[in-house]
C-alpha cells in the first residue's frame, strides 16, 4: 500500500513477489503464480533482469509442483538464462537444481542426473544448501535406477550437510532416502534407524505447518473482521454523505424560499406605493374635472 501510494514500482514488485511466496508456503500454488506474474509484469517494465529471473523461477517451481512440466521447464530455463545474464550465480545454481528436480518428478532420470551434477559442479557460485539439495536429488534418482551403493553415498553427504545447516526439511529428505537405500541393501537395522529420524522430522514439519495454517486462519478471521469494519465505515460514510446532501438541498430550498418571499414582499410594497401614487393622481384628476365643470 505504501509503495503504491508513493508510486515506488520496485517496492511494489518485491511486495507482490513476497505475497506470492506466502501463498507458496501455504501450498496455494495457483494464487502464488498469479502474484508472481503480477510482479513479473512490473519487473519487465523496469527491465530488472535479476528480479525477472526470480519471478520466472518461482512460477516454474509452482508449475512443477502442479506437474505442468512443459511450462515449468520453460520458466525455469528462462530463469537460468536471466540469472546468468544478470550475473547472479546463486539463482543460476538454484535454477539448475530445480530443473533437475522437475526432471526427476517427470521421471526423466538421466536428465535429472545431468542437471544435479551441473548444480554440484557450478563454478560461478556454491551454496551449501544447494549442494545438500543436489546430493539428495542424485541419491533419490540413483535409487530409482537401482544404483543403491552410489545413492547411499550421495544421501550420506546430503544428510551431513543438512545436519550442519540444521535444515529440518533437508534432514527429513536425506534420512528418508538413506532409509530406503539401507533397506534395499538388506541393512534393515540402519534402514529403521534412518526411517525413525525421517518420521521424527516429518512430524515436526507437519506440526509447524499446522501452526502456520492456524495462524493463517486467525489472519483470515482478522481480515474478515477488518473487512466488516471497512463495510461499516463505508456505510457510515455514505450515511454522512447522504445527510450532508439532504442538508445542502434543504438549505438551498430555504435560501430560494427566502429569496422568493423577499421578492414577493418587495412587489407588495411597490404595489402599495403605486396604488398611493395612483390614488393621488386620480384625486388630482377629479379636482380638475370638478373645476372644469364649474
Amino acid at each position: 500500500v505504501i509503495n503504491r501510494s508513493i508510486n515506488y514500482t520496485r517496492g511494489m514488485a518485491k511486495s507482490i513477489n513476497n505475497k506470492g511466496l506466502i501463498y507458496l508456503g501455504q501450498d496455494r500454488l495457483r494464487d502464488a503464480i498469479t502474484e508472481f506474474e503480477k510482479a513479473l509484469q512490473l519487473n519487465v517494465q523496469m527491465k530488472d533482469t535479476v528480479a525477472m529471473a526470480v519471478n520466472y523461477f518461482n512460477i516454474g517451481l509452482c508449475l512443477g509442483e502442479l506437474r505442468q512440466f512443459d511450462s515449468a521447464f520453460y520458466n525455469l530455463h528462462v530463469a537460468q538464462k536471466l540469472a546468468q545474464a544478470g550475473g547472479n550465480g546463486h539463482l543460476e545454481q538454484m535454477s539448475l537444481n530445480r530443473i533437475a528436480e522437475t526432471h526427476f518428478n517427470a521421471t526423466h532420470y538421466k536428465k535429472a542426473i545431468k542437471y544435479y551434477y551441473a548444480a554440484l559442479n557450478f563454478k560461478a557460485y556454491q551454496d551449501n544448501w544447494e549442494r545438500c539439495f543436489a546430493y539428495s536429488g542424485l541419491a533419490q534418482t540413483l535409487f530409482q535406477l537401482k544404483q543403491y551403493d552410489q545413492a547411499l553415498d550421495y544421501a550420506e553427504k546430503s544428510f551431513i550437510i543438512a545436519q550442519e545447516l540444521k535444515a529440518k526439511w533437508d534432514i527429513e529428505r536425506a534420512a528418508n532416502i538413506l532409509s530406503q537405500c539401507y533397506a534395499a541393501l538388506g541393512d534393515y537395522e540402519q534402514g529403521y534407524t534412518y526411517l525413525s529420524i525421517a518420521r521424527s522430522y516429518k512430524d515436526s514439519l507437519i506440526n509447524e505447518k499446522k501452526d502456520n495454517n492456524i495462524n493463517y486462519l486467525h489472519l483470515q478471521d482478522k481480515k474478515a473482521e477488518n473487512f466488516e469494519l471497512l463495510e461499516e465505515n463505508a456505510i457510515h460514510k455514505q450515511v454522512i454523505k447522504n445527510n450532508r446532501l439532504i442538508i445542502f438541498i434543504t438549505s438551498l430550498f430555504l435560501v430560494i424560499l427566502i429569496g422568493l418571499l423577499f421578492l414577493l414582499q418587495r412587489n407588495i410594497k411597490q404595489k402599495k406605493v403605486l396604488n398611493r401614487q395612483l390614488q393621488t393622481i386620480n384625486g388630482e384628476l377629479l379636482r380638475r374635472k370638478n373645476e372644469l365643470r364649474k
Side-chain angles (χ1 to χ4, degrees), residues 186-197:
D187 190 342
Y188 299 110
E189 185 176 350
Q190 283 283 71
Y192 180 76
T193 299
Y194 281 103
L195 181 61
S196 299
I197 294 171

Side-chain angles (χ1 to χ4, degrees), residues 12-58:
M12 287 168 58
K14 286 183 178 179
S15 297
I16 294 168
N17 185 73
N18 289 339
K19 187 178 178 183
L21 291 174
I22 292 170
Y23 285 142
L24 175 59
Q26 296 166 348
D27 293 328
R28 298 169 60 188
L29 299 174
R30 297 190 186 282
D31 291 332
I33 290 171
T34 300
E35 299 304 317
F36 294 141
E37 287 176 342
K38 290 178 185 176
L40 177 60
Q41 289 177 358
L42 295 175
N43 288 320
V44 168
Q45 291 174 15
M46 294 185 293
K47 298 180 180 179
D48 190 332
T49 304
V50 174
M52 288 163 58
V54 170
N55 299 144
Y56 275 113
F57 176 86
N58 290 335

Side-chain angles (χ1 to χ4, degrees), residues 136-196:
S136 61
L138 280 168
Q140 68 182 4
T141 309
L142 291 167
F143 177 84
Q144 292 297 325
L145 295 172
K146 302 186 187 304
Q147 298 178 31
Y148 303 125
D149 288 317
Q150 198 175 356
L152 183 65
D153 180 49
Y154 284 123
E156 285 175 344
K157 289 179 180 178
S158 179
F159 187 75
I160 291 168
I161 298 173
Q163 284 185 312
E164 291 173 355
L165 295 172
K166 297 181 180 179
K168 293 181 181 179
W169 186 88
D170 299 278
I171 293 172
E172 189 271 333
R173 171 178 160 110
N176 195 45
I177 299 168
L178 281 167
S179 172
Q180 293 175 343
C181 289
Y182 276 118
L185 292 167
D187 190 342
Y188 299 110
E189 185 176 350
Q190 283 283 71
Y192 180 76
T193 299
Y194 281 103
L195 181 61
S196 299

